[in-house]
Amino acid sequence: MVFIRIPKPWQIESQPITSETAYWHRRRFLKNMAAFGIGATVFPSMSCSRSGNESGSELSQTIPTRTFPDIERSAIYSGEGLTVTPEAKASRYNNFYEFGGTKNIWQAAQALPTDNWKVEVTGLVNHPQTYDLDDLIKQFPLEERIYRFRCVEAWAMVVPWLGFPMRSLIKAVEPQSKAKFVRFTSFYDPKVCPGPGGWTDTSQLPWPYTESLRIEEMAHDLAFFAVGIYGHLLPKQHGAPLRMVMPWKYGFKGAKSIVKIEFMNFQPSTFWNTLVPDEYGFEANVDPNIPHPRWTQAEERLLGTGIHPSVWHRQPTLLYNGYSEVASLY
Ligand SMILES: Nc1nc2c(c(=O)[nH]1)N[C@H]1C(S)=C(S)[C@@H](COP(=O)(O)O)O[C@H]1N2
Ligand SMILES: [Mo]
């Protein structure tokens, strides 16, 4: 018998953009420097994200060793036609304000204590539960889904998540009919989380990081909990051991390192919406036609496709980030 190992798409080196495109981007580079000189405020981290000590091997030390070779790829969310972002790019360009205000927090995030992690599911449910990571992995059948991901800052990526649909958890805890919203709370300990730094007084921020969904949004098949990415458990910089993935919403709606999930009868306040309500709405569906007050949302840049975000490959933003099946929710 012959065994042929078929590499998963994300194990194949992502295709380089065509030289025409690269040339085009080089041509546009100077122009962009003007237009996206403003971009320096949109992407403040990039100037300092290539410090000398970021060797690949140090990065690999942040990658958990537990892999899931037998997990089935979702037939529906198989990433057809998409080029998966290389892991080395996605796992060192992160937003995780608890550990810093730049994209370069992957080392600082290693301070997150993930041993004996507990997730409390509580509020208006018939079966409140506290899960540890092994409980989650045993109780909810895992699958791999390749999703597009879109940050409100107009960068995008394509990543293979490992996890389970949120509706599996809904089924397990049985929300009561009074439950209309769900609040997700991230880990926070001021002794471990220095905050964004810079000019920000971290003690004035509305910690812990929280996010919320309407229960119908949570029940949509696309709404996902990830315990892993690229075939292994989540590294800390991606929000280990459990994070939300809401592919039709801007990335900030996906809280990382979740410790609490509460079913409630009112819309709770959330981190970004509390801080800057006119920039980070509650619904936050990806929409090319609704500009952010400080930049357009009509285009996005694909993470890691060039030496600097100003030359990353650009593509049009899609309504609901391309997941038009959620339209009936709105
Ligand atoms: N707890 C917490 N969750 C968070 C954030 C954060 O700062 N803290 N940032 C959000 C934002 S703005 C984005 S774009 C994504 C980034 O996820 P990634 O770093 O895994 O790409 O995480 C989201 N979840
Ligand atoms: Mo984001």
Side-chain angles (χ1 to χ4, degrees), residues 55-194:
S55 76
S57 67
E58 270 180 52
L59 180 74
S60 66
Q61 283 164 23
T62 72
I63 308 297
T65 50
R66 179 158 178 197
T67 58
F68 297 82
D70 303 324
I71 297 302
E72 299 247 331
R73 161 101 30 87
S74 157
I76 309 170
Y77 311 112
S78 60
E80 203 167 333
L82 299 175
T83 300
V84 170
T85 303
E87 176 166 23
K89 309 280 187 197
S91 55
R92 52 175 143 183
Y93 187 87
N94 304 97
N95 275 334
F96 206 166
Y97 248 46
E98 288 85 335
F99 296 99
T102 73
K103 299 290 174 286
N104 189 24
I105 56 75
W106 61 274
Q107 285 151 312
Q110 303 314 308
L112 176 78
T114 51
D115 288 349
N116 304 311
W117 193 272
K118 299 272 190 293
V119 184
E120 187 190 359
V121 188
T122 180
L124 302 171
V125 293
N126 292 333
H127 307 296
Q129 296 278 350
T130 298
Y131 298 99
D132 64 23
L133 179 60
D134 277 337
D135 297 332
L136 293 171
I137 289 173
K138 270 186 223 134
Q139 177 161 348
F140 303 110
L142 298 187
E143 56 182 278
E144 182 174 71
R145 294 185 176 190
I146 296 181
Y147 276 166
R148 298 159 48 88
F149 179 98
R150 174 59 153 79
C151 173
V152 72
E153 299 160 326
W155 55 269
M157 61 181 179
V158 176
V159 288
W161 300 106
L162 262 171
F164 54 95
M166 289 191 181
R167 53 158 62 154
S168 306
L169 180 85
I170 294 181
K171 226 190 250 168
V173 298
E174 277 185 28
Q176 298 160 5
S177 57
K178 288 169 287 182
K180 302 285 182 243
F181 292 89
V182 186
R183 173 166 62 195
F184 304 81
T185 304
S186 295
F187 171 89
Y188 184 69
D189 178 348
K191 296 194 290 293
V192 179
C193 304

